[in-house]
Amino acid sequence: MVAKAITAAAIGINSCKIEVEVDTTQSLPNISVVGLPDNSVNEARERVRSAIKNSGFSFPTGKVIVNLAPADIRKEGTHFDLPIAIGILKEQGINIPDDLNTAFLGELSLDGALRYVNGVLPLVSGLKDAGISTVFVPEENAKEAALVQGINVFGAKFLGDIVAHFTDTPIQKTTVDINKYLEENADTDYTYDFKDVKGQQKAKKALEIAAAGGHNLLMSGSPGSGKTLMAKCLASILPPLELQEALELTKIYSICGLLNSDKPLVTKRPYRAVHHTASKNGIIGGGTNPRPGEITLAHRGVLFLDEMAEFERQTLEVLRQPLEDGDVVISRTKNSIKYPAKFMLVGAMNPCPCGFLGDKEKECTCSEFQIQRYRSKLSGPLLDRIDLIVNVPRLTTDELINTKTESEPSSEIQKRVIRARKIQAKRYEQEGILTNSELSGKQIKKYCKLDEKTESFLKLATQKYQLSGRKYDRILKLARTIADLSEKENIEMADITQALQYKVDMI
Ligand SMILES: [Zn+2]
């Protein structure tokens, strides 16, 4: 008799249903796994054998063949231990209902205990979409699995508990209140607040616009101008996560094993600061065991690159495709995986190698050639993808002493950002996007219409500054956000003028 158990295999942040088939033959004792298993699945053989024996069940005396179907999907991860063990127990005649609407996920330790596994949310989510009604997971993964609505979740401590569930000791179902997680965990206590940043009105406005429309931004300024501090303050004005965004992020963090098993929902917009020595794989994702990189961990949040001109040019160049497409494709030997990567790129750099070009008090010691070489680290196509470029001058000693009034607190700025985001979400309800920065060429034509006078003004400006077609579109998107911040229905001349300022600042 062939016994069956249902489980899932991860594909990027999605998954598909997998059928585990177990058969035994009278042959030399052995256990073999077929159906494109990787090493972690192959190792299941030893863990499953010990776990079954140490849970007080007998293990087949002959040869055990485990087939994972469909065979063309690569199976990775230690969560195949449990469905393989369930299949073997069923084959041995243990009383587990032959119900193919019930799935199993979990790693087994040698004593039969169930261990936490990564990627449970995407796995269970895929199973629910495949019509599965019940899932058994390790107890520590139960709350995470229960984030998927409409599927029964049972968390077990031991393999034996699952067998007992079907005979005399039922396990209690796990349920969670997602909205409560979202409300309780929404963190409003930020370390860095704009009220502590003196002056810099233009840069602050640029950050507000960036946060409101999800635009990429670059700040150029001397050391001590406060650009890094302002970038850190950005986290305090970003809007709270919507439930859909929170679930998307939780899937990513689940795959990377970065969730808190007690409060598994990611409720804070990510803010990832990356150092210029970080590897290309670390930023983009990949490596021998491909994992999402920083750009995916920054999905729906901020990727901050301090000292942007110090990064390897090659590392910066690979950001171009994800910045354009909102996702990243990671190639592997046999296939490739797509991860989401809709992040706001925020960069900070000095205006020149010594850092004091344009400073009011210190003199720049760089040659024209050195300045050109330094700036050329950021290629034209990369700069094209940055919507706002803003100079952040260092305040003079006098300005620092004389600016005594406290600045506007982040909480006030955030209110405007939230309002502008709501306007966008409503406008793009049917488009499947949330912010102006995501507008496609066709959508720009539809939503960023200009009156005749404003349009001819923008055309003249693009000729004067020799702006590319891509830049023209980005100015329109930026102007749309500036208009949304003032709650204006149409983009006006003043919005275009302001958008142009941020686009041609460093040219
Ligand atoms: Zn210099």
Side-chain angles (χ1 to χ4, degrees), residues 352-357 364-366:
C352 65
C354 86
F356 293 101
L357 182 69
C364 166
T365 55
C366 312

Side-chain angles (χ1 to χ4, degrees), residues 425-433 447:
K426 190 156 184 285
R427 188 193 301 132
Y428 305 135
E429 225 170 355
Q430 305 301 324
E431 303 281 0
I433 57 169
Y447 297 108

Side-chain angles (χ1 to χ4, degrees), residues 273-284:
V274 179
H275 195 254
H276 61 80
T277 53
S279 72
K280 199 181 104 201
N281 281 344
I283 294 176
I284 298 297

Side-chain angles (χ1 to χ4, degrees), residues 394-408:
R394 201 166 58 99
L395 296 188
T396 60
T397 322
D398 278 353
E399 283 168 330
L400 270 175
I401 295 166
N402 294 330
T403 316
K404 282 210 177 89
T405 49
E406 218 181 49
S407 303
E408 189 181 25

Side-chain angles (χ1 to χ4, degrees), residues 149-216:
Q149 306 288 287
I151 189 165
N152 300 312
V153 174
F154 295 99
K157 264 191 178 146
F158 292 93
L159 175 62
D161 294 347
I162 297 175
V163 178
H165 171 84
F166 294 110
T167 49
D168 49 13
T169 323
I171 301 169
Q172 220 176 3
K173 210 165 93 174
T174 302
T175 51
V176 296
D177 185 344
I178 299 189
N179 289 315
K180 208 169 143 205
Y181 276 144
L182 213 52
E183 284 160 24
E184 274 178 3
N185 296 7
D187 193 350
T188 48
D189 187 21
Y190 295 99
T191 323
Y192 302 97
D193 195 299
F194 277 112
K195 75 173 171 13
D196 304 319
V197 182
K198 284 188 172 182
Q200 305 295 8
Q201 288 316 316
K202 192 178 173 193
K204 283 181 189 168
K205 192 69 200 170
L207 283 154
E208 179 181 333
I209 298 167
H215 300 285
N216 303 320

